[in-house]
Amino acid sequence: SNEKSLARETRSLQFRHAFIAVLSRPSVMYMNTSQSPSDHKEFFFNVHGENLFGAVFQLQICVPIKLQDFQIVRVKNLTKTQDHTECTQSQEPACGSDPVQHVKEWHSVVCAITSNKENVTVAAEISVGHTKQ
């Protein structure tokens, strides 16, 4: 027949991506409040893996900024190494999937990553001068 068929066949393939996000410092940090009621801290996130298909991966970083009624953290700066990585920041009453007791407000950083490597740094000022608790 000379007629052209518009029939299509669609298949769905499942595959896994091997990506790792590494926090290069321990998740618990200590601060000497006898010398200064505030301290500058930087949190480094190294993301690497295979991305053969250019998929978009989402990295969410949740920084607790208000504990009970006290502002304890101010996020000062966010840096990334890849130009095509898009990051957005917002302040939210909840962040991530698990609620954390006594945290009233979060600074949420969400980065859409399409490369094989990305380094994201969040710089913050931690202040406990307003309370002895």
Side-chain angles (χ1 to χ4, degrees):
S1 165
N2 289 338
E3 290 182 36
K4 293 184 179 180
S5 173
L6 296 178
R8 272 194 222 156
E9 186 174 332
T10 303
R11 296 199 183 246
S12 212
L13 301 175
Q14 294 182 359
F15 56 93
R16 295 180 187 222
H17 293 281
F19 260 78
I20 298 170
V22 178
L23 178 60
S24 58
R25 292 186 179 191
S27 59
V28 176
M29 292 187 176
Y30 296 95
M31 166 176 162
N32 186 349
T33 58
S34 64
Q35 294 177 348
S36 173
S38 66
D39 197 6
H40 179 82
K41 297 285 185 185
E42 290 187 341
F43 302 93
F44 304 98
F45 296 86
N46 177 287
V47 180
H48 57 88
E50 287 185 4
N51 193 4
L52 302 175
F53 303 103
V56 178
F57 292 91
Q58 187 175 27
L59 171 67
Q60 182 177 27
I61 302 167
C62 300
V63 181
I65 58 173
K66 190 179 263 190
L67 188 60
Q68 294 176 346
D69 293 328
F70 301 107
Q71 181 85 28
I72 57 168
V73 175
R74 291 193 193 284
V75 173
K76 298 291 191 177
N77 195 22
L78 169 72
T79 58
K80 56 190 179 57
T81 55
Q82 303 297 324
D83 289 337
H84 49 273
T85 295
E86 298 285 332
C87 294
T88 59
Q89 301 180 68
S90 62
Q91 293 185 0
E92 308 287 340
C95 191
S97 59
D98 297 324
V100 177
Q101 189 177 16
H102 304 299
V103 176
K104 301 295 183 199
E105 193 171 355
W106 296 86
H107 187 100
S108 174
V109 175
V110 178
C111 296
I113 301 169
T114 57
S115 64
N116 290 338
K117 284 184 179 181
E118 180 59 270
N119 293 301
V120 177
T121 303
V122 176
E125 189 74 26
I126 301 172
S127 177
V128 292
H130 51 272
T131 178
K132 297 293 182 191
Q133 294 180 336

